[in-house]
Amino acid sequence: MTNHWNDLANTDCALIIGSNAAENHPMSFKWLTKAREERKAKIICVDPRFTRTAARSDIHAPLRSGTDIAFIGGLINYAIQKNKFQRDYVVRYTNAAFIVDDGYDFKDGYFSGWDPQKKTYANATWNFKKDDQGNFLKDETLENPRCVFQLLKKHYNRYDADTVCKVTGTPKEVYLKVCEAYTGTGQPNKSGTIMYAMGCTQHTVGSQNVRSYAMLQLLLGNIGVPGGGVQAMRGESNVQGSTDFGLLFHMLPGYISSPQATPEYALLADYLKKETPASGYWVNKPKFFTSLLKAWWGDKATAENDFAYHYLPKRDPKKNYSHIALFEAMYKGEIKGCFVWGGNPVVGGPNARKEAAALGKLDWLVCMDLFETETANFWSKEAGADPKTINTEVFMLPVAASYEKAGSISNSGRWCQWRYKAVNPPGEARDDLMLLHELALRLKRAYASSDKPQDEPIKHLFWDFGNDPHHPDIEIVAKEISGYDWTTKTQLKTFGDLKDDGSTVSGCWVYGGMYNGPAKENNRARNRKTEKEGIGQHLDWAFAWPVNRRILYNRCSADYDGKPWSEDKKLLWWDGSKWGGLDVPDFVPTKAPSDPGGTDPYIMQAHGKGGLFAVMAEGPFPEHYEPWESPVNQQPFSKVLVNPVAKVFETEKGDNTKFPYVGTTYRVCEHWQTGVLTRNTPWLAELMPHMFVEISPTLAQAKGIKNGDQVVVSSLRGEIKCYVIVTGRFQPLMIDGKPVEQVGMPWHYGFLGLAKGSVANHLTPHVGDANTTIPEYKAFLCDIRRAN
Amino acid sequence: MVVITRRSFLKLSGTAAAAAGVGTLGFDLSQAYAKTAELKIKESKAVPTICPYCGVGCGILIHVDKEGKVIHVEGDAEHPINRGSLCSKGASLGQLHNNDRRLKKPLYRAPGSDKWEEKDWDWTLTEIVKRVKETRDKSFIHKEGDLIVNRTEAIASLGGAALDNEECYLMSKLNRGLGLVYFEHQARI
Amino acid sequence: MGEVAKLIDVTKCTACRGCQVACKQWHDLPTETTPDKTKFAGSYQSHPDLGPNTYTIIEFIENTNENGTQWHFKKTGCMHCTDAACILVCEKKALSKLENGIVYRDMAKCVGCGYCAQNCPFLVPKVNPKTEKATKCTLCENRVEAGLKPACVSTCITGALDFGPREKMLEIAKNRVATLQQQGMTKAQVYGEKELGGTHVIYVLGDAPEVYGLPADPQVPLSATLWQKYGKPLGAAAFCASLGTTLFAFFLNRKKDLAPKLHHHEGGKSHGV
C-alpha cells in the first residue's frame, strides 16, 4: 500500500477492483464505512460476481475476469477526454511532459521492438529523449505529439466506453456511472483510492493491471495524498515482510536484485555498476548492499575480498526460478530436496495435481506447520496417491503459532508491529526462529572442517545470535536487521547512516533505524501510542518503513510551491525553511520546492517523476490482451489475442468450445489461504464447512443443475467434484453481444482438516504473468455438469 | 389447523421426564453454571499480538490464566487499526492453541511407507542436516568458467509469508549462505 | 444504567461473522454437529437456524430481481423483549427480566422443558438435548455488568452493532433511518421500538421486516398468555389433564405454526432461483 488502513477513512471514493475487501480484508470496511458516513465517500466494487463487498458498495460494476486493462483504459480515456485529470499534478509530478524516443510506436497490438521470430521485445525505443547535457526533453504544455501525455491519449483513445463494455461485459450505463464517480476525484480537494488484491495480479497481464491503476491515480492526482494511493492489500499477515526480506529468487533483502551468472555481475564493482542508477534514491544502493554483505559474512567480509560478494549465489540468467518454474524443474527431477516453511502447494499451487506429482520426484521434503498439511501428505491414499510407489522421505515438523513466540510482522501499510509471546507451543512444537537457528548452527558445524572454497559461504556465514544452542536471541536478530556500526556496535538511527566501506551492518536497509538504540524500547515495532487527534497517521504506533513514513510519495500532497493542494487534503507543507506536517517527508526535509529536484516526488525513479510511461515486459502502456484461456477468439483492440510475452509452461490450452465458461477462484472471509489453519479451527470450519462452486441461474437451467446439487467442474488440467450454489449473484456477461457464463469457486479446500473438499487448483494452469510469473489463477476455461 | 402427532407428544414428554430427572439424579449443575456467569477474564493477563491471517495487522489480546492457559481472545481496543473489533478469523484465534489437532512431535514418513512415525527433534534435525549437506555437495556449482557462482539448483525453499520478520531474515540469510536459488514464497502465487 | 439495548444496523453489516465467533468464544460454545445444522444449504449461511450451541447467526438473504441483486445480512438472536413470552411460560423461573431489560437466563434453574422455545415469537431459544438446557443469547449480561459491551458488539468491525442505553440506541437508530431514507431507501425503518412492549435488541432495517424474515407485528402467543394465567399455577400435569391433549398440543406446535412465516427464505436461499 502506498497509504495505510486508517487512511482509507480520508478517501472520497474507493475503487475496489481485483479484490473482495469486505471478505478478505474485512477491517478495510471499518474505515471505508467511516469515510462514507463522515465524508459521503462513494464505494465502487468492480468484480465479476456480486460479493459481500458489492453488497456494501454504492456501485457494483461487473466485469469479465481478465479485462481490467480495458476497464481502466476506458477510465483513463474518460478522464482525458472529459478533462477530469489534475493537470498541474500531471505536468510536473509525472513523466507526461517527457518526449519519447522517435522509434517508439504501437501498431496492431504490438509495441515497437517486437521480434516475431524470437517472440520477444527489444525495448530500446521505450525511452525518453535527452538533450546534449543529458537532460530529459520535455514539453510542459503537453502539446508535443511525441510527449508521453499525447502518446497516452492516443493509445487510450481506442478505449471508448462502447468498445470497453463489449470486452468487459459491464453494462454501459453502469460503466459510465463508475467513470463519472471515480474521475470526480481528479480535483485538488478530492482524493480517490484504488484497492486491489489477487484478483488483479493473478493474470497473464497482472503487473500491467497494477500499472493501469497507478496510471489512473497519477492522472487524477491521487498519489501521495491522504485518502489516495494504490493499495496492494496483502493476503498473508507478513507477506509484506517476507517480500521485504527477499524470500524470492530474484531479490535480496531490501529490493536489491540477486546477482546473475554473467560477466556483468562478476565482481562487486561490476554488480554495483550494473545495478546503481545515476540519479534517484537508489544511488545509495552500494551502501545498502555492502551493509547487507557485512551483515551476512561479518569479519569475513572485507574490502579486500569484495565484502564476500562472491559468496552470494549467482543465478543462471537464462533460467526462471519462480514458483511455477520451480515445480516444473521438480517435476523433471532436477530438484532433490525441498523445504516448505508454512505453505501448501498441493492445495494452493496452480495445476496443483502436477505440483503434487512433482513432490513425488523429490528425495526429501521438509514441511513446517501447525497442523498436518496436504503437501506433507501428498503421498497418502487420501491424496489419491499410491504410497508404495512414492519414495520421497518426508519430515513434518510441528511449529509454534503466532502468539506462542515473539517477533515482528509488517502489514500491508508497511507497519512493522511486535507480537508478544502469550503461551508456550503445545507438545514439542518449536518456533521457526529456533529451527532456523539450529539448522544453521548444525550446518555450519557440518562444514566447519571443510577447506573447499565452495563451502566458505556457509562455513563463514556470520551467525552470532547469542549463546543458546537452541534459541537465538531475537533482539540481536532485530538489531542486525535494523543496522549498527560494526566497530562500536551502536545501533544506527536511520538508513541514511549506512556506508559502503564495510563499517556498517544492516540486514534489510528499508527497516534501517527501526531499532535505534540498545534497549528493547528502542525497537519501534513495539511503539504503542495512538494519535489523539489528526487524520489517523498514528506516527507513534509501530514503525512504518521507510523511516516511519505513512504515506509514500507525500511530496505530491503539496503544489509546486509546497502549499497543500487543499486544506482538506493537507499532509506536508513547506514553511519557507523546511518541510513539516502530518507525516515524515519523502525527501530531504530542507530541500526547497525551488531547489533542483524540488518537484521530483517519485524519489525511487531515476527521473523523479511518476511513470505514466514505464518499461514493462509487454510494453510501456498497459494494453488489453485476453487471458491465456479465453472464451473469445478475437478482441476489438487488436489482432493480438493473448499477451505475447506471457510465461506459458503448459503445452496445450483448453478449447473454448469444449470449455466454454470463464472459471475463477477466490477466498471467503471465514477461511485463509489453503485452509491449513482455518479448516482445522472448529469455529471457522463450522462457518464454511463445504467446498462449493457458484453459477448463475441461467447456467444452472441450461445444465439441469439445482442449488445444492453435487457437480463436476472440469478444465483441461482435470476435474473436481463439489456442491453448487446457484445464485443471482452470478450472471452471464454480454461479451460482444454474446452471453458468457462465469463459474467461481473458493480455493481453500483440501483433503485434510475438519472442513474438507476438492482442490480448486486442480483446474488452474501453469501460466504466468509476463513480468512476475504470478500464475493466472483468476481466469481459465472450464465446463460444469451435474454429478451422477 | 394444528395437527397433533404422537411423535411431538412423545418428544415433549421425553424432554420433560429427562428434565425432571436432573434434580433427582444427584447432579448439582448450579456451580458449573454460576462459574460461566462469572467474568472469565477477571483474573487473566492479556498479551498483545497481531493477527496472523490477512495483511491488515489487527491487534488482538490473548487472555491467559494463571496456569498459562488461553482462556479468551478479543480484539485490542487500543489498536488504531481495528479498535477492538475482529472478523471471524481473528476472533477464532484461541482455537489455534486450544486445539487437539495440533502437531506435537516431529513426524517422519519413510520411502514407500503409508504412515507417519513420531521422532525426536535431535534425530530429525540430524537427518535433515545430513540430507541437506549430501544434496548440496552433490549438486553444488562453484564456478562456471572463471565465474564464481556458488549455487545449488537441487534444493528448493518455499513459504515464509506467515513467519515473523526475524524468521524471514534468518531464512534469507541461511538459504543464500547455502547457495539456494530456487527460493520462493507466497508473494509469487 | 437503566434500560440497555443492542442496536443492529443491517445496512452496515458486511457479514464477516466476527460476531458469530466472538459469541462462541465468550460463551465457550462448541460447534453444532447434528446433520440438520451441518448439511450443505446452498448458501453462505452457516446454519439454517440458531442452535443450542449457536446463540447468534448471520442470515444471508438474497434477492435478484429487475432492480438487480440485493444481499442482506441479518444478525439473528434473542430480542430481549419487554413482553417476553419465554418468561411467561418458564415454569422454573429460569428466565427472568433484569432491571436493564436483559432477559436473563439462569442455567441452574432450567430443566429444558422447551416451553420458551415453543412460545418465543422469534423462535429463539433452543434446547440442548445433551445438557437438557434451553439456551439463547444472554446479551453478555456479565460483560455488561462489568462495563464491557457484549462480545458481538465489541468485535463488530463496521459499527453495524452498537450497545448502550436504550434511549440512546433508539435515537441513533432513528437518525440512521432518516439518513437512509434521504439516500433513497424509502422503506428503511426502526424495528423493536414498540414491538412486544419494546425489545432490547433494536434493528435498523433497510426494507420491510418481512424482507429480513422478521414478523411485521410480533405477538406474545395466546398459548403463552393462557399458560401464564392458568397453566403455571396448576402445574403442567394438572393443566394438561384439565385441558386435554388437543390444546396441550397447541402449545407444543406453536413452532410449526410460526415456522413458514418466519423462515420462508430457508437457509438464505436465493429468491431468484
Side-chain angles (χ1 to χ4, degrees), chain B residues 1-5 8-9 12-16 18-20 22 29-31 33-34 36-41 71-75 82-89 91-95, chain C residues 16-19 21-22 25-29 104 106-108 111-115 118 127 131-133 141-143 146 148-149 151 154-157 245-246 248-250 252-253 256-257:
Chain B
M1 157 98 187
V2 179
V3 181
I4 312 156
T5 65
S8 64
F9 176 77
L12 181 82
S13 309
T15 313
V22 175
L29 294 175
S30 59
Q31 265 195 324
Y33 289 122
T36 52
E38 231 177 63
L39 203 65
K40 64 179 186 176
I41 53 175
I71 54 161
H72 185 58
V73 166
E74 198 161 322
N82 59 309
R83 295 286 183 196
S85 59
L86 290 176
C87 75
S88 43
K89 287 195 293 294
S92 76
L93 213 54
Q95 286 193 331
Chain C
C16 76
R17 299 195 271 194
C19 54
V21 175
Q25 162 73 84
W26 181 253
H27 296 284
D28 295 315
L29 293 169
Y104 179 71
D106 185 343
M107 293 284 258
V111 294
C113 69
Y115 293 176
Q118 290 145 15
V127 178
T131 59
E132 289 160 351
K133 301 282 172 188
E141 94 282 331
N142 50 5
R143 287 175 65 99
L148 298 170
K149 289 184 174 180
S154 292
T155 208
C156 182
I157 289 172
T245 16
T246 312
F248 180 57
F250 171 72
L252 303 189
N253 285 285
K256 281 196 175 156
D257 196 23

Side-chain angles (χ1 to χ4, degrees), chain A residues 163-431:
Chain A
T163 313
V164 166
C165 293
K166 249 191 222 177
V167 171
T168 63
T170 315
K172 190 180 166 191
E173 67 281 6
V174 178
Y175 185 69
L176 290 175
K177 254 168 82 181
V178 174
C179 290
E180 185 59 30
Y182 198 70
T183 58
T185 64
Q187 298 163 43
N189 61 345
K190 297 279 178 204
S191 60
T193 181
I194 295 184
M195 298 160 66
Y196 78 88
M198 312 321 276
C200 159
T201 56
Q202 292 172 343
H203 292 283
T204 39
V205 291
S207 303
Q208 291 285 38
N209 283 343
V210 184
R211 240 187 80 61
S212 72
Y213 306 163
M215 289 165 63
L216 177 62
Q217 291 295 66
L218 285 173
L219 281 173
L220 298 173
N222 278 339
I223 292 185
V225 295
V230 178
Q231 321 309 342
M233 299 187 290
R234 319 286 323 235
E236 310 219 9
S237 57
N238 199 31
V239 74
Q240 182 62 55
S242 53
T243 307
D244 300 338
F245 286 95
L247 311 191
L248 292 164
F249 82 88
H250 68 296
M251 251 168 38
L252 301 171
Y255 302 91
I256 293 172
S257 299
S258 61
Q260 302 181 31
T262 64
E264 291 173 295
Y265 289 94
L267 302 171
L268 178 62
D270 302 318
Y271 176 96
L272 294 178
K273 189 174 162 215
K274 173 84 182 153
E275 291 291 326
T276 313
S279 55
Y281 201 77
W282 276 121
V283 297
N284 295 301
K285 196 178 282 181
K287 300 172 189 169
F288 309 149
F289 189 50
T290 311
S291 299
L292 173 67
L293 292 171
K294 192 73 186 166
W296 283 7
W297 285 287
D299 274 334
K300 302 291 177 188
T302 62
E304 292 70 42
N305 76 347
D306 259 7
F307 299 106
Y309 167 73
H310 59 295
Y311 286 177
L312 277 177
K314 292 192 185 70
R315 59 186 158 99
D316 183 341
K318 296 184 292 297
K319 275 193 175 167
N320 181 337
Y321 297 92
S322 73
H323 179 100
I324 295 177
L326 186 157
F327 274 96
E328 291 285 334
M330 195 188 287
Y331 191 78
K332 288 183 203 141
E334 293 167 16
I335 296 172
K336 303 294 176 195
C338 181
F339 285 94
V340 183
W341 296 90
N344 196 11
V346 165
V347 171
N351 200 345
R353 201 170 267 145
K354 184 174 192 181
E355 298 200 353
L359 294 171
K361 310 275 176 76
L362 291 171
D363 292 342
W364 53 270
L365 171 67
V366 184
C367 295
M368 291 75 164
D369 226 305
L370 277 66
F371 301 93
E372 280 194 44
T373 65
E374 281 83 359
T375 296
N377 282 277
F378 78 93
W379 45 268
S380 67
K381 289 196 186 79
E382 293 97 314
D386 176 5
K388 284 197 297 294
T389 63
I390 295 169
N391 287 322
T392 313
E393 286 182 285
V394 188
F395 300 85
M396 172 88 243
L397 310 187
V399 295
S402 55
Y403 55 91
E404 296 161 357
K405 61 183 179 185
S408 69
I409 57 168
S410 303
N411 74 2
S412 309
R414 298 161 285 100
W415 292 17
C416 181
Q417 308 188 83
W418 195 257
R419 301 199 279 209
Y420 294 82
K421 179 175 172 171
V423 283
N424 286 321
E428 293 177 23
R430 293 183 174 184
D431 59 61

Side-chain angles (χ1 to χ4, degrees), chain B residues 40-61:
Chain B
K40 64 179 186 176
I41 53 175
K42 207 163 59 182
E43 303 280 328
S44 66
K45 80 176 171 179
V47 183
T49 188
I50 304 297
C51 184
Y53 289 121
C54 82
V56 171
C58 296
I60 298 182
L61 297 179

Side-chain angles (χ1 to χ4, degrees), chain B residues 91-165:
Chain B
S92 76
L93 213 54
Q95 286 193 331
L96 273 192
H97 180 77
N98 296 329
N99 192 316
D100 55 14
R101 303 177 63 83
R102 280 288 293 276
L103 289 166
K104 296 187 182 71
K105 276 184 87 77
L107 300 176
Y108 171 71
R109 183 263 178 186
S113 169
D114 63 355
K115 61 176 193 306
W116 290 111
E117 300 162 46
E118 286 192 352
K119 295 288 183 185
D120 66 50
W121 273 109
D122 190 52
W123 181 91
T124 307
L125 291 174
T126 304
E127 294 303 310
I128 292 171
V129 165
K130 242 191 253 171
R131 279 155 189 75
V132 172
K133 185 168 188 305
E134 196 189 304
T135 308
R136 180 184 179 276
D137 291 350
K138 252 193 221 166
S139 62
F140 207 77
I141 312 168
H142 177 51
K143 278 186 168 184
E144 283 175 342
D146 289 338
L147 195 67
I148 298 176
V149 298
N150 276 337
R151 71 168 188 263
T152 168
E153 295 184 352
I155 304 176
S157 175
L158 289 165
L163 298 185
D164 292 341
N165 284 326

Side-chain angles (χ1 to χ4, degrees), chain A residues 22-23 26-27 29-30 33 37 49-52 55-56 666 668-670 682-684 686-692 694 697 707-708 723-729 731, chain C residues 10-17 20-21 24-25 29-32 38-44 46-47 54 60 62 64 69 71 73 156-158 176 269-270 272-273:
Chain A
E23 300 197 42
M27 205 54 64
F29 264 73
K30 182 182 212 68
T33 305
E37 281 174 19
R49 58 200 177 103
F50 193 95
T51 60
R52 284 179 252 189
R56 289 285 82 92
Y666 41 81
V668 296
C669 180
E670 298 78 5
W683 288 327
L684 296 174
E686 173 178 45
L687 289 178
M688 275 287 184
H690 306 283
M691 171 65 185
F692 59 86
E694 295 181 272
N707 192 29
Y723 289 110
V724 66
I725 294 179
V726 178
T727 168
R729 295 180 292 101
Q731 294 292 341
Chain C
V10 301
T11 67
K12 285 191 197 170
C13 176
T14 58
C16 76
R17 299 195 271 194
Q20 267 191 254
V21 175
K24 293 218 169 194
Q25 162 73 84
L29 293 169
T31 55
E32 302 288 351
T38 54
K39 69 167 193 234
F40 184 69
S43 120
Y44 279 28
S46 57
H47 310 90
T54 307
F60 286 68
E62 203 178 310
T64 300
T69 295
W71 206 8
F73 313 125
C156 182
I157 289 172
T158 58
R176 174 70 180 159
K269 198 158 52 182
S270 167
V273 182

Side-chain angles (χ1 to χ4, degrees), chain C residues 87 90-96 104 106 109 232:
Chain C
I87 297 178
C90 183
E91 198 184 345
K92 298 289 178 188
K93 296 201 168 76
L95 292 163
S96 59
Y104 179 71
D106 185 343
K109 289 183 185 162
K232 250 185 179 172

